[in-house]
Amino acid sequence: MFGFSKGKDIITLFHKAASPSSVKVANMLKQASIAAAESASKPEFELNITEDTPTADQISTILSYVGDKGASSVVQNATSANEALKKFKENVSYFQRPLVVDWNNGKVVPGENESEILKMIDALPKN
């Protein structure tokens, strides 16, 4: 039986270079990515750091991961995922950074919660 190895999981940081907390998260993720690449026991992942605003499809996906309870952590002052999407479409500046997204496993960590980000990375399946 032939097995195909799956590609690396993709972790995206929606980054804001002017934000000290975002810079801290970016540096921590870079270090975690290097450590994973050098270790046989840690799952490697593809790190994508972007200052671009998410697309409407990406924001919809992110909101599906966090649900109504997490909507305000993604879009400022939103009380539900639907309201968050509406606010985002009206004004993308409501989008909150830093925001780390594990696209393959449907997880999101808003802000600079280092322990939650590391927990997300440690939970990645091994390639």
Side-chain angles (χ1 to χ4, degrees):
M1 190 102 192
F2 293 100
F4 293 98
S5 64
K6 76 175 194 69
K8 295 177 189 173
D9 287 2
I10 299 169
I11 304 286
T12 298
L13 167 62
F14 289 98
H15 178 55
K16 183 175 185 175
S19 164
S21 63
S22 192
V23 171
K24 180 180 174 185
V25 170
N27 289 333
M28 192 251 327
L29 282 169
K30 288 175 189 173
Q31 289 174 346
S33 178
I34 291 167
E38 294 174 346
S39 169
S41 64
K42 292 185 182 255
E44 284 189 67
F45 59 95
E46 183 178 324
L47 178 59
N48 176 19
I49 298 175
T50 181
E51 290 192 51
D52 293 341
T53 303
T55 65
D57 285 344
Q58 286 175 320
I59 201 78
S60 292
T61 300
I62 292 166
L63 290 167
S64 76
Y65 295 163
V66 301
D68 289 339
K69 287 184 179 180
S72 65
S73 65
V74 176
V75 176
Q76 189 177 352
N77 300 322
T79 57
S80 70
N82 285 339
E83 182 185 9
L85 187 57
K86 183 179 174 195
K87 281 180 170 271
F88 176 80
K89 287 179 177 178
E90 288 171 3
N91 188 344
V92 296
S93 69
Y94 286 125
F95 179 69
Q96 306 217 82
R97 299 165 197 255
L99 187 83
V100 181
V101 182
D102 173 356
W103 299 105
N104 298 69
N105 300 293
K107 296 181 181 171
V108 176
V109 178
E112 63 175 312
N113 190 334
E114 192 170 325
S115 64
E116 285 299 311
I117 294 168
L118 291 174
K119 194 185 302 181
M120 173 195 285
I121 292 168
D122 288 342
L124 294 173
K126 293 196 170 57
N127 298 332

